[in-house]
Amino acid sequence: MHPGRRVCYRGAERSTSLSHTESFVQPVYKPYLTLCEGHRLCSTYRTSYRVSYRQIIRKLPPPMPECCPGWRRVNSHSCNQAVCAKPCANGGTCVKPNRCACPPGWTGSYCRKDVDECSSGTHACAQQCQNIAGSYQCGCGEGYLLSSDERSCEQVEHPVPNKTTDKLNNADEEPVDSDQMKEEVQDLRSRVEVLEKKLQLALAPLHSFTSLFLEEGLAEQTSLLSYSFQQLDRIDSLSEQIGFLEERLETCSCRDNR
């Protein structure tokens, strides 16, 4: 039988013989004379047995050749399986001595190194790519959503623009009327002044802190305090809007002076 590939011999391939002695039972036939019918002499024999010995020579098959380093036999006469010093990681398979066949997303001798598809440009993302262990994930920019194939992006409809906020956010794309901006700033300032006056009237009964600890009227004082905090939140919000509008107004003024 041919040993096949990946076999290393340790000498010439030849057959050998093995000789040994074995015992067996041998029959022995001894003739003798006896008296037959009619008073005649007859010749016959009797059988006896003895132990004898004989020499047996048996031819042995040639020894199985040894596999080359890095290979071994598995349920076969040929050296059909590679041997890796370390186990293949992440689903890899040992195909050559100390060399693994890696699944997509992994590389290296033992499949322990991640493939960065985003940096190498081997991804299928339409817009954005984020590398993860053994694979990658696609993403989309602002105004787009990831499609069901998790690769392409679909444009989404923009919401109805807000009267004030969207105009400020899109100031770089659309021209802003400075007169209209001044009117909005003045309107917000007037609203802040009205709220401040209402707040002063609401806080007037709270100047005396001793009344807060009286059981009678405690619920009324708590409700009044909650209302005052709501007014403060509204003032802070309007103040932030005024500051933002003033910054945009200065930007518009600078553009007009160019």
Side-chain angles (χ1 to χ4, degrees), residues 175-179 182 248-258:
V176 180
D177 188 357
S178 59
D179 294 336
K182 291 178 181 179
R248 301 306 306 172
L249 189 59
E250 291 178 359
T251 303
C252 294
S253 301
C254 293
R255 291 179 178 176
D256 295 339
N257 293 332
R258 290 179 182 177

Side-chain angles (χ1 to χ4, degrees), residues 6-28:
R6 313 180 187 102
V7 170
C8 297
Y9 293 92
R10 289 199 174 187
E13 181 181 3
R14 60 183 181 180
S15 300
T16 58
S17 298
L18 179 64
S19 176
H20 67 279
T21 302
E22 67 176 14
S23 61
F24 67 99
V25 177
Q26 182 180 20
V28 178

Side-chain angles (χ1 to χ4, degrees), residues 26-210:
Q26 182 180 20
V28 178
Y29 306 102
K30 294 181 179 181
Y32 67 96
L33 296 176
T34 184
L35 184 64
C36 296
E37 294 180 1
H39 302 282
R40 298 183 294 110
L41 291 177
C42 298
S43 176
T44 184
Y45 66 90
R46 64 181 57 165
T47 305
S48 63
Y49 297 92
R50 66 179 181 181
V51 177
S52 300
Y53 298 91
R54 58 189 174 190
Q55 197 75 12
I56 301 297
I57 298 177
R58 187 175 60 180
K59 189 176 182 181
L60 299 177
M64 187 73 70
E66 294 186 2
C67 295
C68 295
W71 296 93
R72 63 183 177 183
R73 293 183 178 88
V74 177
N75 301 324
S76 175
H77 293 285
S78 61
C79 304
N80 58 343
Q81 188 177 85
V83 178
C84 291
K86 298 179 181 179
C88 299
N90 301 306
T93 304
C94 186
V95 293
K96 293 181 179 181
N98 297 324
R99 186 69 183 179
C100 301
C102 304
W106 298 98
T107 187
S109 299
Y110 301 101
C111 305
R112 300 176 186 271
K113 184 179 180 181
D114 174 56
V115 176
D116 191 346
E117 295 88 352
C118 299
S119 299
S120 61
T122 57
H123 62 87
C125 298
Q127 293 187 7
Q128 299 175 354
C129 177
Q130 180 182 3
N131 184 65
I132 60 176
S135 184
Y136 62 93
Q137 291 179 344
C138 297
C140 301
E142 185 177 357
Y144 291 86
L145 288 178
L146 193 64
S147 302
S148 58
D149 61 0
E150 297 184 352
R151 296 290 184 266
S152 58
C153 297
E154 297 178 357
Q155 189 173 9
V156 296
E157 296 182 359
H158 293 283
V160 178
N162 182 272
K163 182 178 180 181
T164 302
T165 307
D166 287 356
K167 283 186 177 181
L168 297 177
N169 293 336
N170 300 328
D172 294 336
E173 299 178 1
E174 298 179 359
V176 180
D177 188 357
S178 59
D179 294 336
Q180 182 181 359
M181 186 74 70
K182 291 178 181 179
E183 292 178 1
E184 293 181 1
V185 171
Q186 185 62 36
D187 179 63
L188 289 173
R189 284 178 178 175
S190 300
R191 293 172 61 183
V192 170
E193 292 176 359
V194 173
L195 287 174
E196 288 178 346
K197 291 179 181 180
K198 289 183 179 181
L199 182 61
Q200 291 177 1
L201 294 175
L203 293 177
L206 300 179
H207 289 167
S208 178
F209 292 100
T210 56

